Each structure stands twice: as structure tokens, then as C-alpha cells.
Amino acid sequence: MGETTLLPPFATEIIIPLCALVGIVFALFQWLLVSKVKLSADKSSSADSKNGFNEALIEEEEGANEHSVVRKCAEIQAAISEGATSFLFTEYKYVGIFMVAFAVLVFLFLGSVKGFSTKSQACTFDSTKLCKPALATAVFSTISFLLGGLTSLVSGFLGMKIATYANARTTLEARKGVGKAFIVAFRSGAVMGFLLAANGLLVLYILINLFKLYYGDDWEGLFEAITGYGLGGSSMALFGRVGGGIYTKAADVGADLVGKVERNIPEDDPRNPAVIADNVGDNVGDIAGMGSDLFGSYAESSCAALVVASISSFGINHDFTAMLYPLLVSSVGILVCLLTTLFATDFFEVKAVNEIEPALKKQLIISTVFMTVGIAIVSFIALPSSFTIFNFGTQKDVKSWQLFLCVAVGLWAGLIIGFVTEYYTSNAYSPVQDVADSCRTGAATNVIFGLALGYKSVIIPIFAIAVSIFVSFTFAAMYGIAVAALGMLSTIATGLAIDAYGPISDNAGGIAEMAGMSHRIRERTDALDAAGNTTAAIGKGFAIGSAALVSLALFGAFVSRASISTVDVLTPKVFIGLIVGAMLPYWFSAMTMKSVGSAALKMVEEVRRQFNSIPGLMEGTAKPDYATCVKISTDASIREMIPPGALVMLTPLIVGIFFGVETLSGVLAGSLVSGVQIAISASNTGGAWDNAKKYIEAGASEHARTLGPKGSDSHKAAVIGDTVGDPLKDTSGPSLNILIKLMAVESLVFAPFFATHGGLLFKIF
């Protein structure tokens, strides 16, 4: 079995950090290009001579005073940026306390496995060899947990910074045409995507190399300690997603209900007191939350693959290049996405409104096709032609082409999920148009049709996930599933770019409305925004699909680590875990939905109070008190993110300690199976309702025009559907995929403790 790989270890040592640095440099370059759009009203700012536009021409065309518009945009952008930054700092303060407390827990639990002894212990999987003490694993797991959490927070924060930097710039570019605005929004999304992918890869790579200095040849212990990185990444993502999701939807629902339904004013009207909070929410929920979420998935799928590989022939033979195969796949992913991004910004230009969605869809297709080639090359040079993979106690023979198929099947399953999501949530296709049509007879039919659409949209993604699980498991056991998840996430930079594009263009539309720009510009930003809704739904589809694969891989690693040979559904211990695990996503969704509801209630009361008590607010002569609304959202989300977070973080601990590893394996399987279904249906239902409303508002087709202008009965029914869907698509849905992954990775990290000290209740009887 001692075959070597074509790629020597020193080349691997160079390629991985090099690709990460290329990604970071590319992100900074895109950021530089975005910053060329000036937000100060100096005369030379937008003299864009090569397209024959100059300042005077725009001024005549708009008939508005240029300087006041630019100044207004800058003011609004500053307010949004300030709100988002202060919220994230408040959130991170609380999350930081939690992180430190949980790090202590990790240390105590893992250290106590062998009673804090510093002696070498027999390895778990090969008792003839000696491995580093359990105490070392405790220390290093704690370090990687803290680093994973930190990287996750930084990813979210950087994403939010670039988004609030770019939103007003997108608005100003929209005066020159929809293509210009698209490029600014897309470039800013790319900044976030590349920074996140590169940072995640670089930190993980540095961690492995630093830990290697201590662990030396004990790779089993080394990669077990690395799993803390995934746990840190996802636990921060949970709070970011839930906190951000509650924030954004409390503001959104409050603003919509009072503004659109009661007072009949447009969506982002500056008279609406909740409007700044609503725009801040887009950044903290959809961008900071999404960033942390996908970073968590990425960290965990890498960790799951590395843990299984360390006890397979890669780890036993100390084949460094093959061991780091998951990181090499991600490195190539960064290069592929870099090439793909140029297709949207440089090779082809978006000129008309109807070219926006196809341009974003092409991104997915191009990156997937190129990535398939990339994976083939990596599999050829970084893997021995045949090797063995650990498979529940036995070693399974695998060929390198089989592993290539595992990664590729995950990659293509991701694309299929993306397209199915697009079909069900884009207003260009019949499902959303049917939902819009059902608004004729009121809100009730709209809700019924929307729910049915969400449930139906689960079918194909689940088959796609099932096929990829079957193929990858058959070829390479649990390692296959882990690399399939990595395959789905290998184009994460592009996926995040089109995902972050959504909230940026949503904000741009809001700023255009608040700055009082002309109707035509608002139409352009609306078109960008409608496409953004769909891409956001695609991004969520990717996140959910990868979460399903990741948590299955983590589940496999956990079962191996806890030395369970089979999980038998017919034993009562496992079955009770299964049925309780399937209930958890419902409990979690109930918590998050109710949190949004109660926070929105406070917001509605505050907005009504301002409309009733501030004289001249409706006439536009007095300014609303935006700060109070921002404060309501902040307080509500910080307070309400704790119970759902506690539910997810404490369940594995309680089950593992009191009921033991068999019951815990049942809980993980149950929550995975039910969580995926709810998550897909919730985010698609919400996305479809939102776009059905946009479809009626835009009035682009004959059918849409019969459903009314804004303010008609059908439109009001659509707004109600959209409001119901908001917490579904932006709070419960996206947070569920973190629930699935987080419980699995936490069980894996604490597996040594549960295996030795767990199951107290069954030990008593």
C-alpha cells in the first residue's frame, strides 16, 4: 500500500497557503474596484468619460440636484453601517462570554476522560501504538474551538462591513444603468466570498501545521483536536444566524405591517420609523449570519474528512499530501471561483434587466463545470491510485477515481438543489406565478398555495442528497460523504458572492427610495433585488444540502470515535433517541418563530406610536425616531437568541451524559432526517411568497398587471403572505441547518467523554 502521490508533500505545503493568499488578494482587488465609486459630491467623481457619461448629462437626465442626492445616500449608508456595527459588537460581546464558558467546558470534559493524566495513552484505533495523552487533546481542542469561533465571527463581520460599504455605491451606479449597478453589487459579494473561503482555508492549514509540531506522528490525536475548529465555527454561526434572523425579521415585519398594510406607504419610505432597522437587518442576518453559517459548514466538512482520513491508510502511512486532499480541493475551488467571477464582471456585461438572473445562474454552472475538471486533476495528483478508508472497524479498499466521483457527485447535487430552488422561488416560473395568482381570492389561499409549494420543493433536493449519499457511501464509506459535502462547498466563493449580492441590492433599493431618487432608478434596483431574492434562496439551498451531508459525515465520524459498531433502530435506546431527535427541529423552529413574532409586536407598537404621536410625520415635515426602532430590534434579538442556542448546545451534552452514545446517535439521525425537510420547505415557501409579492408589484407581464397595482386587494394579500414567510425564510429555515450540523460536530468533539463516562441513567439501572 505504500504508493506515493504525484504531488510531493513540500508542494502541498506551498499550494494550499498560496491559493488562500491569491483568494485574499483577489478579494482586496475587487474591493478596490468598488471603492472607485465615490460617495462624496465632488465634481470629478463620476465623470465616466469612456461611456460618454458625464456629471452634467446625469444631472439633466434626473432633473434632481445631484449633490443633495449623493449626500443623502451617504448619510443613509452611514446610518445603516453604524446600526449594523453596533449590533454586531453587542452580539459578539454576549457570544464572547459564551465562547469562553464553553471553551472551559470542552477542556474539563475532554481532560477528565483519563482523569487529567499527562501520560501517553494507547491509541483508540490501534492499541499497539502509544498516542499523546487525553489532556493534550483537551488543550488543543479548546484552542481550535476558540480559533474556529473567532474566524467565524471575523468572516461575518468583514462580510457585513463590505456590504454596508457597497449598498449606497450600488444605488449611485444605478443612475448609469442596471449593468453598472449589478457589477458593483456582485463585486462586493465576491469580496466577501473570497475572503471567507480563503480565511477558512488558511486558518485551518496553519492550525494543522502548528499542532503537528507537538503531535508529530500521532495524526489520530492531531485531527481529533482539529474537530474543535468546526465546533467553534458552527456555534458562532448559530448565534449569528438566530440573532441576526430575529433582528432582521422583527424590523421587516414591523415596517411592512404598519407601513404598507395600514398606512399605505411604499416599502422603504423614509417616513417609516422602522426603515433603518429593516435595512440594518438585511446586513446582520443575511450577510453576517450567512457568512458564519457557510464558514461553519466548510470547517466541519473539512474536519469530518480529516478525522476519518487520519485512521485510514492516509493517516497510518503518514501520507501528508493525500491526508490534506480536502484542503487541496478547497484550494482549487478558490482558483476556479476566481476565474468564474471574471465571467460576470469582465468577460460578459449585463446590459438589460432580464440578463441579471441568467448571469447569476451562469456563475453556478460555469463554476461547477470548471470545478469538476479541477477535482479530477487534484484526485489524480494528490491521491495514491488505491488506498484504504476506515469503515466502522474495517478498512475498505478505494481507488482514486472513486473518490473523484464522490466529490463530483456532491458538487453536482449542489447545482441541482440550486436550480430546483430557483425554479420554485423565482417569479419567472409557474410555481411563484400560481402563488401570485391565488392572491386574487385573498391571503388565505395565498398561504395555502405557498405552503404547498414549499412542501413540494423538498422532493427533488432530497432525492439529490439521497443519490449523493448512496454513491459516495458505496465508494468510500464515511470519508466519501465528507468529501461529497466538501465538493458541494468547493465553489463556496461563488456561492457566497451571488448570495451576498441579494441583501446588497435589497439595501440599494431601500437607499434609492429613502433618498427620493426617481422612479426609473427604483425600477432598476427592484430588478436587481428580485434576482437577489432568488439567489439568496439558492444560497440557502446550498447551505441546507451541504449541512445534510456534513452532519451525516460527522455522524459517521462520531459513531467510529465512540466505538459503536452498528446503530440498531430496533433497540429501545436508539429508537427513543430517533423520535426525540426528529422533534427537535420543530421545538427549535417554534422558539425562533415566536421570538420573531414577539419582537415584531413590539416593533409594530413603536411604529404606530410614532405615526400617532409625532406631528407632521405622515406629511414628511418631521423626522421619525429611527434609533428607538433599532434599539428594539437589537434588544429583542440578543435576548431571544439565547433559548434556541441553549437548546441546540445542551441537547447533545444532556443526552450523551445521561443516556449514552447509542441514544445520542439516534438523536443525531432523527434531527438530521426531519431538520432537512423543514429547512428546505421553510426557506422556499418564504422565498416564493416574497417573489410573488415582487411579481405583482413589478407588473412586468399582462398577468401581473391584472393582479393590481400596489395597494390593490391582491397586493395586500401578497404582502401578508410575504410577512408570514419572512421568519420562515430568514430565521427558522436557515438556522435549522446549523442545528443539524452543530449537534453532530459537538457530539464528535465530546465523543471520548461520552464513550467513557456517558449513559449515567442506564448505568444506575
Side-chain angles (χ1 to χ4, degrees):
M1 289 297 339
E3 284 183 57
T4 52
T5 51
L6 289 177
L7 194 68
F10 75 87
T12 310
E13 298 269 8
I14 297 166
I15 288 175
I16 296 173
L18 189 71
C19 291
L21 289 171
V22 166
I24 292 172
V25 169
F26 182 70
L28 295 175
F29 173 66
Q30 295 290 331
W31 186 64
L32 190 76
L33 291 175
V34 171
S35 67
K36 287 216 167 76
V37 181
K38 289 284 178 281
L39 260 185
S40 57
D42 58 330
K43 268 297 179 203
S44 61
S45 65
S46 60
D48 199 356
S49 51
K50 81 167 190 287
N51 287 351
F53 271 124
N54 53 27
E55 198 76 25
L57 215 161
I58 293 178
E59 212 162 309
E60 281 168 11
E61 181 185 43
E62 290 308 330
N65 183 348
E66 182 72 5
H67 296 296
S68 71
V69 167
V70 175
R71 199 171 56 246
K72 239 181 183 161
C73 284
E75 275 169 23
I76 297 163
Q77 185 226 11
I80 293 174
S81 183
E82 191 187 331
T85 310
S86 76
F87 168 72
L88 285 182
F89 275 131
T90 316
E91 181 185 61
Y92 291 169
K93 213 163 52 194
Y94 286 91
V95 167
I97 299 168
F98 158 80
M99 246 176 97
V100 174
F102 203 78
V104 174
L105 256 185
V106 172
F107 177 71
L108 291 177
F109 274 25
L110 292 180
S112 68
V113 171
K114 290 275 188 285
F116 295 101
S117 84
T118 49
K119 289 192 203 58
S120 290
Q121 53 177 7
C123 300
T124 318
F125 294 99
D126 181 0
S127 45
T128 56
K129 292 203 186 89
L130 276 182
C131 283
K132 297 288 189 224
L135 191 63
T137 305
V139 173
F140 286 107
S141 294
T142 309
I143 295 172
S144 56
F145 168 73
L146 289 169
L147 263 172
L150 202 66
T151 314
S152 184
L153 295 184
V154 170
S155 319
F157 188 74
L158 287 175
M160 184 280 302
K161 271 296 187 218
I162 178 69
T164 51
Y165 183 80
N167 50 18
R169 288 174 165 77
T170 306
T171 312
L172 292 175
E173 284 291 277
R175 296 173 310 178
K176 301 181 194 166
V178 79
K180 296 274 181 210
F182 170 79
I183 284 184
V184 171
F186 185 77
R187 280 207 163 117
S188 330
V191 175
M192 173 183 176
F194 283 94
L195 276 181
L196 191 132
N199 277 342
L201 180 64
L202 197 57
V203 176
L204 182 58
Y205 174 77
I206 292 169
L207 251 174
I208 291 174
N209 277 312
L210 289 179
F211 284 11
K212 228 171 99 191
L213 297 177
Y214 169 78
Y215 277 101
D217 276 350
D218 172 17
W219 283 16
E220 183 191 298
L222 164 64
F223 290 104
E224 193 172 298
I226 290 282
T227 50
Y229 185 66
L231 177 63
S234 256
S235 50
M236 295 310 99
L238 175 75
F239 290 111
R241 251 310 187 195
V242 175
I246 292 169
Y247 185 106
T248 169
K249 290 304 122 180
D252 196 353
V253 171
D256 280 1
L257 283 181
V258 185
K260 282 200 253 184
V261 179
E262 291 177 13
R263 297 279 169 169
N264 236 339
I265 57 178
E267 175 143 15
D268 290 298
D269 196 293
R271 293 171 292 182
N272 193 334
V275 68
I276 293 283
D278 183 9
N279 280 304
V280 170
D282 288 334
N283 292 301
V284 294
D286 285 348
I287 294 213
M290 188 72 186
S292 294
D293 179 2
L294 280 175
F295 165 75
S297 275
Y298 165 74
E300 283 161 346
S301 54
S302 306
C303 291
L306 291 168
V307 168
V308 180
S310 69
I311 51 179
S312 304
S313 66
F314 300 160
I316 297 163
N317 301 338
H318 293 95
D319 185 344
F320 193 64
T321 302
M323 188 66 221
L324 291 190
Y325 176 71
L327 277 75
L328 284 165
V329 169
S330 308
S331 308
V332 173
I334 291 179
L335 301 181
V336 165
C337 291
L338 199 153
L339 192 62
T340 312
T341 305
L342 298 176
F343 274 91
T345 53
D346 298 272
F347 301 153
F348 300 109
E349 217 173 315
V350 173
K351 290 196 176 60
V353 169
N354 57 358
E355 290 172 15
I356 302 170
E357 262 191 51
L360 292 166
K361 263 165 49 182
K362 275 189 204 119
Q363 284 289 297
L364 285 177
I365 298 171
I366 294 169
S367 62
T368 304
V369 171
F370 282 165
M371 193 61 212
T372 311
V373 179
I375 297 166
I377 296 168
V378 172
S379 306
F380 179 65
I381 61 171
L383 293 172
S385 58
S386 71
F387 43 90
T388 65
I389 294 289
F390 182 84
N391 180 21
F392 301 125
T394 56
Q395 293 281 351
K396 180 182 171 74
D397 287 314
V398 182
K399 304 264 186 292
S400 59
W401 62 267
Q402 291 176 315
L403 208 50
F404 157 68
L405 281 180
C406 294
V407 188
V409 79
L411 179 66
W412 285 90
L415 186 70
I416 291 170
I417 293 174
F419 277 135
V420 171
T421 311
E422 193 236 5
Y423 174 72
Y424 279 107
T425 56
S426 162
N427 50 28
Y429 303 103
S430 60
V432 171
Q433 292 173 6
D434 291 346
V435 171
D437 195 60
S438 71
C439 293
R440 289 173 197 278
T441 44
T445 40
N446 182 24
V447 170
I448 294 168
F449 270 72
L451 286 172
L453 175 145
Y455 296 147
K456 198 173 161 191
S457 71
V458 176
I459 302 168
I460 299 173
I462 290 295
F463 276 119
I465 293 171
V467 168
S468 48
I469 288 172
F470 185 78
V471 171
S472 48
F473 201 108
T474 311
F475 282 149
M478 277 303 167
Y479 189 67
I481 291 175
V483 292
L486 260 176
M488 198 178 280
L489 290 167
S490 59
T491 52
I492 182 174
T494 295
L496 262 172
I498 65 172
D499 195 56
Y501 155 85
I504 292 172
S505 31
D506 191 349
N507 260 221
I511 292 174
E513 180 77 50
M514 281 188 274
M517 291 171 117
S518 71
H519 177 64
R520 226 180 44 258
I521 288 182
R522 183 66 203 174
E523 265 179 3
R524 286 172 191 165
T525 54
D526 269 350
L528 290 171
D529 184 17
N533 263 339
T534 304
T535 59
I538 293 177
K540 288 177 191 127
F542 264 93
I544 295 163
S546 63
L549 292 175
V550 167
S551 54
L552 187 59
L554 290 165
F555 176 68
F558 160 72
V559 171
S560 309
R561 183 62 191 83
S563 336
I564 312 172
S565 48
T566 54
V567 177
D568 184 1
V569 183
L570 293 176
T571 49
K573 273 188 198 177
V574 176
F575 194 81
I576 57 167
L578 204 60
I579 198 159
V580 170
M583 172 274 298
L584 287 173
Y586 289 90
W587 189 358
F588 182 80
S589 299
M591 282 180 167
T592 47
M593 298 280 285
K594 198 155 184 299
S595 300
V596 171
S598 58
L601 195 69
K602 288 197 185 69
M603 186 67 82
V604 167
E605 282 165 2
E606 172 59 27
V607 174
R608 278 185 189 150
R609 185 194 67 75
Q610 290 197 27
F611 272 127
N612 295 332
S613 64
I614 300 178
L617 182 55
M618 273 306 280
E619 293 73 42
T621 50
K623 266 193 148 172
D625 175 8
Y626 296 127
T628 313
C629 289
V630 171
K631 189 169 171 359
I632 287 179
S633 258
T634 305
D635 294 348
S637 55
I638 299 287
R639 196 178 53 249
E640 303 277 0
M641 77 183 180
I642 305 202
L647 173 73
V648 179
M649 298 301 281
L650 295 178
T651 302
L653 292 179
I654 293 169
V655 174
I657 292 168
F658 292 113
F659 298 92
V661 282
E662 283 98 345
T663 310
L664 182 53
S665 60
V667 169
L668 295 179
S671 66
L672 165 64
V673 166
S674 89
V676 174
Q677 330 287 339
I678 305 175
I680 296 177
S681 65
S683 61
N684 287 353
T685 293
W689 274 328
D690 195 343
N691 272 347
K693 174 203 71 174
K694 289 257 185 341
Y695 176 74
I696 295 176
E697 285 176 353
S701 68
E702 199 48 53
H703 174 231
R705 281 192 287 277
T706 60
L707 291 167
K710 285 188 187 182
S712 68
D713 283 346
S714 308
H715 178 247
K716 280 196 170 149
V719 170
I720 292 172
D722 176 33
T723 313
V724 175
D726 271 336
L728 285 174
K729 81 172 192 310
D730 287 325
T731 316
S732 338
S735 312
L736 277 174
N737 59 50
I738 304 178
L739 167 133
I740 304 167
K741 295 180 305 196
L742 189 51
M743 285 182 23
V745 75
E746 192 182 334
S747 308
L748 173 60
V749 170
F750 288 117
F753 177 79
F754 296 151
T756 42
H757 300 307
L760 293 180
L761 286 180
F762 293 131
K763 281 178 185 165
I764 299 167
F765 300 125

